[in-house]
Amino acid sequence: MMTLFNANQIDRISDLPSNVIDVILGNLRIRDQVRTSILSTKWRYMWTSAPHLYFDDDFYQRFLVLDDPGAVVSKIITDVVMLHNGPIHKFSICIYADFDFKITTEDINLWIPFMSRDVKHLELVTHCVFKDPMPDILFSCKELTYFKCSSFILSIPPNFCGFEKLLELHLVCVEFESSALESLMSGCPFLEKLVIELCGDFEYLDISSPTLKVLLVKLEYDIKSICLKKAKNLVDFTLDANYNSLSGLIKSLPKIKRFSMLRGKKIPLADIIPPTLLTSSFSSLEYLKLDEFNLKERGELLYIVSVLKSAPRLIELTIRQVNMNIPMLLGLFLVLVYFDTSIFILQSDNNVDTIQVLDHSEELECSSWGGLKLQTVNIEVEARSQHAMSLIKLILANSPLLKTLTFNYSSEKLGAVMLFRISQDLLLMKRASPRAQVKFLCSTFPPFVW
């Protein structure tokens, strides 16, 4: 039975502890924060003291019908900041879409004085081709533990004393003036994570931070070298390089546990990471991912063998030769062959084609190997990769702890005869691990009419 609301009843929403209210408001976008003003009289202005302010694509899209949405958005953000009557611990503007909105120096000079003493998490990210110099007032935010910015020209003011509490730094589409990156890094004595993405105007990347643990570098322009010898505590390194001059890129590496690399150009991996670095740098490696790796070349296969010999602690290996983009996935036809000690399932179409089966006549010598510690292996290749089967055979024969090996074989045309021959070879391969499961994923991409 429905009862009428009694005015004398406790208003539990209004009586929530202030720290709980801060958490609730902190997890809402600015538009939803303002909407909480209708909950009760006590909540009418509660949003003006929310410790987190977040402006994103969804917020900006609501103003796209206006003639000059950028100016309106800047004014709204300025008004919100000026109306705020409490500490701002987290301030985020993350407008990633290709909208005509730019965070100007004038905007930042208005906003930062209202938060510089308290802000710990600061994000200023927009999509903009034309860059302004990074305002000096940003360097007054002494309490920062997280800082992410994009589309600025970075120069360090002479009175910069450092971000002594900064733990995580993201620089996206930033241009560096002379020695600006080195000066910034030297002023972050406790930095643990650094992301440099699509930045320009630097030739050398020499990271010497002794506290750095995670590094992601995505390069759009040619640089001459990456030196990480002095980053002795670095454990996770991701490199995304899509340009021509990769040869001799990595000059030094510390002992890392996780390494991921994407190459847009078919430059031999041995030219990027010299074999002389493998023994010293990969001895503690536990996770390795290589995108756009060319297993058609025997030299690349032999380099992987050198990596496996130099990485006795490697647990997970991922090698991808192809990029399965979204249009391809729309037409994906999946054939799964699953092997363990007692199961053999084969699903296939009935079309016979003339594509040659993988050539693995040149087997690798593996009888003298010690046991690898690999537990998970993922290999994805194109139809005409010649050495994938040799690599799989080597891994199966030398990995007593292996749990799962997934072989993803993509082809524009895949017939039952070819599928059966590959699956038969996989089934007959010797395994050091009695519990190893081999999953054979076969993908075909039919033609599209757009």
Side-chain angles (χ1 to χ4, degrees):
M1 179 177 178
M2 182 177 295
T3 59
L4 295 176
F5 178 75
N6 187 345
N8 294 324
Q9 287 180 334
I10 298 174
D11 183 356
R12 297 188 183 278
I13 294 179
S14 297
D15 287 342
L16 287 171
S18 59
N19 61 327
V20 175
I21 293 175
D22 287 345
V23 172
I24 293 173
L25 292 173
N27 285 280
L28 298 177
R29 294 185 174 94
I30 186 63
R31 186 167 179 264
D32 295 324
Q33 286 180 358
V34 176
R35 283 176 168 178
T36 62
S37 62
I38 67 171
L39 292 176
S40 70
T41 302
K42 183 177 179 180
W43 278 73
R44 181 169 297 174
Y45 301 106
M46 197 78 74
W47 67 271
T48 62
S49 60
H52 299 172
L53 298 179
Y54 181 47
F55 305 87
D56 61 357
D57 289 345
D58 181 69
F59 166 77
Y60 186 81
Q61 280 183 324
R62 300 176 186 278
F63 303 96
L64 289 179
V65 294
L66 302 178
D67 293 335
D68 189 4
V72 174
V73 168
S74 293
K75 185 179 185 306
I76 291 175
I77 295 175
T78 300
D79 290 344
V80 169
V81 172
M82 289 184 172
L83 283 171
H84 201 275
N85 61 11
I88 300 176
H89 297 307
K90 182 176 181 179
F91 183 77
S92 299
I93 300 177
C94 295
I95 301 177
Y96 291 95
D98 190 9
F99 298 140
D100 186 19
F101 176 58
K102 177 182 179 180
I103 300 175
T104 66
T105 300
E106 291 75 15
D107 291 331
I108 295 175
N109 287 333
L110 280 173
W111 301 336
I112 294 300
F114 290 88
M115 65 183 79
S116 61
R117 294 180 181 178
D118 303 297
V119 65
K120 296 178 174 62
H121 183 117
L122 181 61
E123 294 180 85
L124 301 171
V125 181
T126 59
H127 179 89
C128 183
V129 176
F130 302 101
K131 302 176 177 64
D132 282 349
M134 186 174 290
D136 288 355
I137 197 169
L138 281 173
F139 297 94
S140 67
C141 301
K142 302 299 184 182
E143 299 298 313
L144 281 180
T145 59
Y146 178 101
F147 182 36
K148 181 175 183 177
C149 69
S150 71
S151 305
F152 286 104
I153 300 172
L154 177 63
S155 61
I156 306 299
N159 60 343
F160 176 56
C161 298
F163 293 126
E164 295 187 356
K165 297 183 180 181
L166 193 67
L167 301 177
E168 189 166 339
L169 174 64
H170 294 245
L171 302 173
V172 183
C173 297
V174 170
E175 294 182 7
F176 303 116
E177 291 193 354
S178 178
S179 302
L181 181 58
E182 291 80 0
S183 299
L184 179 60
M185 292 291 295
S186 64
C188 303
F190 298 105
L191 191 67
E192 294 182 356
K193 182 174 181 178
L194 173 64
V195 175
I196 300 176
E197 187 173 354
L198 304 177
C199 296
D201 285 354
F202 65 99
E203 293 185 342
Y204 303 93
L205 186 60
D206 189 349
I207 304 295
S208 57
S209 174
T211 59
L212 194 67
K213 297 178 181 178
V214 180
L215 173 64
L216 188 153
V217 179
K218 184 175 183 179
L219 299 172
E220 188 177 30
Y221 307 100
D222 289 3
I223 68 172
K224 294 182 179 179
S225 67
I226 296 177
C227 182
L228 304 173
K229 185 177 182 180
K230 296 181 181 179
K232 295 184 178 180
N233 287 307
L234 186 69
V235 294
D236 189 336
F237 179 34
T238 299
L239 176 62
D240 184 346
N242 186 16
Y243 60 91
N244 292 316
S245 302
L246 291 174
S247 183
L249 178 63
I250 298 181
K251 300 298 184 184
S252 62
L253 277 175
K255 291 184 178 180
I256 54 178
K257 292 185 178 181
R258 298 176 63 89
F259 179 64
S260 302
M261 182 170 183
L262 172 64
R263 295 174 294 167
K265 304 297 181 182
K266 303 302 182 184
I267 307 295
L269 190 56
D271 289 350
I272 304 171
I273 307 177
T276 53
L277 290 179
L278 294 181
T279 302
S280 59
S281 301
F282 282 7
S283 59
S284 299
L285 194 68
E286 296 178 359
Y287 173 89
L288 176 64
K289 181 179 180 180
L290 300 172
D291 269 329
E292 292 296 317
F293 191 80
N294 188 8
L295 271 175
K296 295 179 183 178
E297 299 293 333
R298 182 166 175 79
E300 295 285 78
L301 174 66
L302 295 177
Y303 186 86
I304 283 292
V305 174
S306 299
V307 169
L308 293 178
K309 289 182 177 180
S310 303
R313 299 182 182 180
L314 190 64
I315 295 174
E316 183 172 344
L317 171 66
T318 298
I319 297 176
R320 297 180 70 250
Q321 185 173 322
V322 294
N323 280 324
M324 297 171 62
N325 54 34
I326 292 177
M328 286 182 172
L329 288 173
L330 292 175
L332 181 64
F333 171 72
L334 184 63
V335 179
L336 173 62
V337 182
Y338 173 79
F339 306 103
D340 64 12
T341 55
S342 60
I343 300 176
F344 176 74
I345 301 174
L346 175 61
Q347 298 176 349
S348 172
D349 58 5
N350 294 320
N351 298 325
V352 178
D353 58 45
T354 58
I355 299 178
Q356 184 179 2
V357 74
L358 287 173
D359 177 16
H360 56 281
S361 57
E362 297 183 39
E363 301 297 350
L364 299 175
E365 179 61 40
C366 56
S367 58
S368 60
W369 275 41
L372 300 175
K373 292 187 178 180
L374 281 169
Q375 297 182 20
T376 304
V377 177
N378 299 283
I379 298 176
E380 182 181 335
V381 299
E382 293 175 341
R384 289 180 290 276
S385 296
Q386 296 182 351
H387 302 295
M389 295 294 276
S390 295
L391 178 60
I392 291 173
K393 182 175 182 179
L394 182 147
I395 291 172
L396 287 175
N398 290 275
S399 304
L401 303 179
L402 187 67
K403 297 177 181 178
T404 305
L405 186 147
T406 301
F407 181 35
N408 194 327
Y409 181 78
S410 60
S411 171
E412 295 179 358
K413 187 178 181 183
L414 189 64
V417 172
M418 179 181 178
L419 176 62
F420 179 75
R421 290 176 62 186
I422 297 174
S423 60
Q424 187 178 43
D425 287 344
L426 290 171
L427 185 62
L428 295 175
M429 287 181 182
K430 179 182 177 182
R431 304 181 196 181
S433 172
R435 60 176 180 170
Q437 297 177 352
V438 178
K439 298 179 181 180
F440 182 23
L441 304 177
C442 305
S443 310
T444 61
F445 307 127
F448 290 92
V449 179
W450 296 97

